[in-house]
Structure formats: structure tokens, C-alpha cells
Amino acid sequence: DPQLNPAYVFDSFIEGDCNRVARRAGKTVAEKPGASSFNPLVIYGGVGLGKTHLGQSIGNEVKRLHPHKIVLYVSSEKFINQFQDHSRNNAINDFIHFYQLIDVLIIDDVQFFAKAEKSQDALFAIFNHLHQSGKQLVLTSDKPPKDLDGMQERLLSRFRWGLSADLQVPDYETRIEILERKMKNDGLELPKDVVKYVAYNISNNVRELEGAMISLLAQSSLNKREIDLDLAKKVLRNFIRTSSKEITIDAIQKMVCEFFAVPYDKLLQKTRKREIVQARQITMYLAKAFTKNSLKTIGEHFGGRDHTTVIHSCQTVKDLMDTDSLFRENVVELTQKVQLAAM
Ligand code: ADP
Ligand code: MG
């Protein structure tokens, strides 16, 4: 099937918190097409987060498990173009009839229907017929159905009949796993510190993550040079966003409170409990490292403490990091979280 890329299978689609619901629903749909309540299954998410990969995985898996079923994966653009051709040739009925014979219809990027009113009519007729016959529909979209402007309300209400599941940006650990899987599949190996560097710094979407890895490999073979962290830093300069957003003291306070399960008000009060004192000191340390606020302003954010308290806190954190490895791990992990949030 020329429409389905054999590399896009569930096995190569790494699961993480970012995509668990969508991936599992996709598997269910592939195992029991038309027979679950996930009909239609709508998978939505931003660019490069895996909509096409997941949609195609469903198609490939249906073909593997149910070889007699008719599966069609089609991009919305192609659907719309085909429809317009048939419309010009007065063959709309042929077009609709063709789609009504399909058991599992996967339509990618349905947001493109927004400007195609007539194509929406055809999609509506096809959707109704397939759904009534217990056939499976899978749709992907760059927005949740409720935000698809320019789409007929009767279509949107049908999109909501089944399950809408989103794809989000994978977290750091999942990005590492994705890179490791890609390397394994392509028979490549990058040093661990380079993998971490890439995963850490390329955090917008998976396509960019792959792009970064490919440029790295290209540079390395071009310059006949081993990939090390130095080379990675040079190559990835283009990828890493230069305009990082300014993170606020409030945001850091929230992250630390969440991390240590410390109530926010305790952080500001004069509590002397050790855990809380440490959480407060770490927060001040991070606020000094990651914001442009003065020591005075930072102190004011902690229930009106003065700048010498902030200086003392930062020094204490540095000292403890040298002597207490658990403490250091916590600070390192929090530092990573704050850096990620600031990108
Ligand atoms: P979209 O259609 O949402 O723009 P794609 O499905 O084209 O995104 O994904 C972009 C790239 O990222 C593809 O090469 C895909 O294989 C890869 N990708 C996305 N998510 C994952 C994942 N969870 N595991 C492995 N690869 C992924
Ligand atoms: Mg896509």
C-alpha cells in the first residue's frame, strides 16, 4: 500500500505521558476496528508531535491483524483534491461510493477541510455511512475539534462522538528514549552525553529532535570527525532557540513547591522546619540564577526578606551541593526543570 509507510508502526512510536491515551486508543482501534467506543478516534496535536506516525500505525496494524479489511490512509489535501476532480467531472457519487466501501478510514490533518465547504458535505455523507455500518474512522487534526473554525457544526458534533486524544510535547526522558530508538533503528550510535544534550535542548517537537540528530550525523561524516559534545554544541546552535523566555520568580516558586510537596504559603512564612528552609533556599538560588531580578526583589518575593538573606541562601545551597549528594541531585533536577520551562 503506497499510502502507508512501513516504518510508521506502534513499535517505533515511543510511549510517554505525552501520548499515552492517544497511543493506547490507537491500538484498541486497530485491534477492534469499529467495535470500540473510540469511533471516530480524533488525534490532535501540534506540528511534528506524531499525528501522521500514529495514524499510519493504526493503518499498518489493522492490515497486519485484519488482512481482509480495507484500510485507507489519506491526507485531507488529497481527499479534497480528489473530490474536486470528481466534482468537475460530475462524478461525486462515484467518489462517495468509493469511500463508503472502506473498513478503516484514516484522514490526516482534517483542519484542511476548513476552507472546503463542498468537500465537507462529501465527508459528512461518507462519515455517516461508515459510522452507521460499524466501520472505523480515525481523524487527525492540529487543533481539538472544538477549535476547528470554518467546519460545519454537524461535522464537529460527529467528531465528538468518539474519543479525542491529544499529543503533547514529550518530556526529557521520553525524548531520550525516542533518540535512542531512532539510533537503534538506523544502526547509529551517539555518545550518551550528546544524546542528553540534544534531548535537553531540542524540546519543541519530535521532528526537530530527529532533524538535529540528522544534521549531527551529516556534519560528522562531512568533516570526518567523531561526534562529541563540542561538535554537538556547534551544530545545534542553529536549532536551539536563542530567544528564551524570561521565567518569573513566581513560576520558580511554584515548581519548587510542587517538587518538594511544600505548600506555597509555608515557603513565604518564617517556618524553620528544615525541609521548608531548604526548599526556600533552593528557590532563592534558582531565582538568582534564572531571573534578572535583584537580590532585593527576590527577597521581597519571600515574605519581605532582605537581600542578605538571599545571599546567605545561595551560599548555603552551593555548600550543600558540595557535601550532600541527594541534595545536589534535587537541585540539578530542579535546575533542569527550570531551564526547560525557560526555553
Ligand atoms: P505530525 O504529523 O504530528 O506533524 P509526524 O507524525 O510526522 O508528526 O512526526 C514527526 C516525526 O517524529 C516522525 O518522524 C515521527 O516518526 C517522529 N515521532 C513523533 N512522535 C514519536 C514518538 N512518540 N516516538 C517515535 N517517533 C516519533
Ligand atoms: Mg502529519
Side-chain angles (χ1 to χ4, degrees), residues 16-74:
D17 290 342
C18 53
N19 61 33
R20 184 164 287 113
V21 172
R23 186 179 183 280
R24 296 204 173 166
K27 279 204 117 170
T28 301
V29 157
E31 281 157 17
K32 305 190 194 79
S36 75
S37 58
F38 308 152
N39 200 14
L41 173 60
V42 181
I43 298 163
Y44 66 91
V47 142
L49 293 181
K51 298 181 295 293
T52 298
H53 188 146
L54 194 51
Q56 293 226 351
S57 299
I58 295 170
N60 279 315
E61 186 73 351
V62 171
K63 296 195 81 164
R64 193 174 72 83
L65 297 174
H66 311 279
H68 57 283
K69 289 216 191 277
I70 305 173
V71 179
L72 186 83
Y73 165 91
V74 66

Side-chain angles (χ1 to χ4, degrees), residues 214-270:
I214 292 164
S215 347
L216 216 50
L217 294 163
Q219 278 298 324
S220 139
S221 71
L222 210 63
N223 299 330
K224 301 204 169 23
R225 182 179 159 187
E226 292 281 312
I227 301 173
D228 58 16
L229 200 52
D230 263 1
L231 181 62
K233 285 181 181 168
K234 279 203 192 98
V235 172
L236 298 187
R237 254 204 312 255
N238 304 328
F239 274 89
I240 294 167
R241 281 205 274 165
T242 40
S243 61
S244 52
K245 43 182 170 160
E246 173 83 17
I247 190 154
T248 63
I249 300 174
D250 291 335
I252 295 174
Q253 286 176 328
K254 269 202 184 139
M255 289 170 116
V256 175
C257 286
E258 203 173 293
F259 186 83
F260 289 114
V262 165
Y264 179 72
D265 52 345
K266 287 266 161 43
L267 200 67
L268 309 193
Q269 292 161 1
K270 302 220 181 295

Side-chain angles (χ1 to χ4, degrees), residues 188-204:
L188 304 164
E189 206 162 339
L190 294 179
K192 188 78 192 175
D193 59 344
V194 172
V195 173
K196 284 185 174 167
Y197 183 79
V198 174
Y200 186 75
N201 286 290
I202 309 289
S203 58
N204 290 335

